[in-house]
Amino acid sequence: MKREVIRVEPLSSWLDNWKAPVSVVTRHAGTVYVSGLPPFDPATGEVVLNATLERQAELVLAQLQLCLEAAGSSLAQVLKCNVYCTSVEKFAAVNAIYARYFPKDPPARIFVCVSAWPGRFDIEIDCIAACD
């Protein structure tokens, strides 16, 4: 079975413009892999600048949901998430938002504190999900 790249707009076009060698979503053998992405404004496809970490987390989780649905999966089928954040002090705030997206039987997860990215944002979340 061949690996399939799933384009998700406007996220895929943003990565193309930056010449980033990454796919937003790949699918293979009933499994979906979603890349960690910065918090995009869904209307413009641009990275949201100067937003609170809480707002950034909401945007990232909403685009994670969009990516999963584009690949034929859903948040309910997520097996594992990796959360990368620039502030360990925001652990509780991120958890509160995360719990809204995974209210029952949440997936396995790790929370990693990172120093920065080449951009002005504070959080990325990637995931692996099952796909029927």
Side-chain angles (χ1 to χ4, degrees), residues 39 48-59 90 122-123:
V48 174
L49 302 176
N50 303 317
T52 65
L53 179 63
E54 291 81 1
R55 177 66 180 137
Q56 291 179 53
E58 290 171 346
L59 288 167
K90 292 291 189 170
D122 299 299
I123 191 166

Side-chain angles (χ1 to χ4, degrees), residues 38-113:
F40 287 104
D41 180 328
T44 66
E46 295 296 318
V47 175
V48 174
L49 302 176
N50 303 317
T52 65
L53 179 63
E54 291 81 1
R55 177 66 180 137
Q56 291 179 53
E58 290 171 346
L59 288 167
V60 168
L61 285 160
Q63 70 195 25
L64 189 76
Q65 182 175 10
L66 172 70
C67 290
L68 290 164
E69 290 172 357
S73 188
S74 68
L75 289 172
Q77 292 180 282
V78 172
L79 305 170
K80 171 87 187 306
C81 283
N82 299 310
V83 179
Y84 305 94
C85 185
T86 59
S87 174
V88 72
E89 288 80 22
K90 292 291 189 170
F91 183 77
V94 171
N95 274 347
I97 294 159
Y98 186 91
R100 292 193 330 239
Y101 286 82
F102 298 102
K104 184 178 181 217
D105 300 327
R109 187 189 86 178
I110 189 168
F111 186 100
V112 179
C113 192

Side-chain angles (χ1 to χ4, degrees), residues 10-53:
L11 311 174
S12 295
S13 290
W14 185 86
L15 290 172
D16 291 347
N17 290 339
W18 281 91
K19 300 191 182 352
V22 62
S23 296
V24 175
V25 180
T26 58
R27 181 173 52 200
H28 181 267
T31 306
V32 175
Y33 303 86
V34 180
S35 292
L37 298 167
F40 287 104
D41 180 328
T44 66
E46 295 296 318
V47 175
V48 174
L49 302 176
N50 303 317
T52 65
L53 179 63

Side-chain angles (χ1 to χ4, degrees), residues 107-130:
R109 187 189 86 178
I110 189 168
F111 186 100
V112 179
C113 192
V114 298
S115 60
W117 285 274
R120 295 187 330 229
F121 58 92
D122 299 299
I123 191 166
E124 280 191 4
I125 302 172
D126 67 38
C127 77
I128 300 170

